[in-house]
Amino acid sequence: MSAYNTVVVGTDGSESSMAAVDRAGAIAGESAKLVIACAYFPNDRSAGEVADVLKDEAYQVTGSSPTEEILRRAKERATKAGATQIVQRAVKGAPVDALLQLVTDVQADLLVVGNRGLNSIAGRLLGSVPADAARKSTSDVLIVHTT
């Protein structure tokens, strides 16, 4: 039985983020709802704008089409890890802001993210998804060692 009722996990399709999905799926198991989220920028933003926001993470999703495929693969992995109550959410915006808003919207009591970017120079200077999420979240945050 999970100590959490609603778990949110973010993925960008990278293997690192999918390792976080695996862990979140195992934590949610049969008793908690798992919300898998993928943040994306709408196609109306220019490639330059996206690159300015995402910096080294600019490979991430632009437009909702790739997001649906990422969410499909993430759901498969979460199911294999043991999750049974899975909701997929494509959320517009920068990863940290989108995840934190989703945590509030679904009243999650746990946010799971991978540690990618946490130990990079850019992450230390500019912030990273795991560091920013842990600092700003109103719920528990699990930073999964994925690298």
Side-chain angles (χ1 to χ4, degrees):
M1 181 155 125
S2 176
Y4 298 101
N5 295 313
T6 304
V7 177
V8 170
V9 62
T11 183
D12 60 10
S14 67
E15 189 54 37
S16 174
S17 71
M18 289 297 184
V21 169
D22 293 341
R23 181 68 57 87
I27 291 169
E30 294 180 5
S31 59
K33 177 169 70 172
L34 176 63
V35 181
I36 302 172
C38 182
Y40 72 95
F41 290 103
N43 283 331
D44 59 343
R45 296 185 73 164
S46 73
E49 274 184 284
V50 172
D52 287 345
V53 173
L54 293 177
K55 308 285 188 241
D56 289 341
E57 306 297 309
Y59 67 89
Q60 291 184 37
V61 182
T62 301
S64 62
S65 294
T67 304
E68 299 306 321
E69 176 60 19
I70 291 168
L71 289 171
R72 184 195 62 74
R73 287 188 293 123
K75 182 178 181 181
E76 287 176 1
R77 292 200 44 169
T79 300
K80 286 181 184 175
T84 58
Q85 302 173 53
I86 302 171
V87 176
Q88 299 162 279
R89 295 282 296 269
V91 289
K92 292 181 185 177
V96 174
D97 296 334
L99 285 174
L100 294 177
Q101 184 60 55
L102 183 60
V103 164
T104 300
D105 292 349
V106 301
Q107 300 178 345
D109 37 17
L110 177 65
L111 171 61
V112 179
V113 293
N115 70 333
R116 187 162 185 253
L118 197 57
N119 294 319
S120 69
I121 292 173
R124 282 179 262 169
L125 294 175
L126 302 171
S128 65
V129 171
D132 291 349
R135 191 174 65 254
K136 297 176 181 178
S137 182
T138 57
S139 70
D140 289 353
V141 177
L142 172 62
I143 301 173
V144 179
H145 184 72
T146 61
T147 55

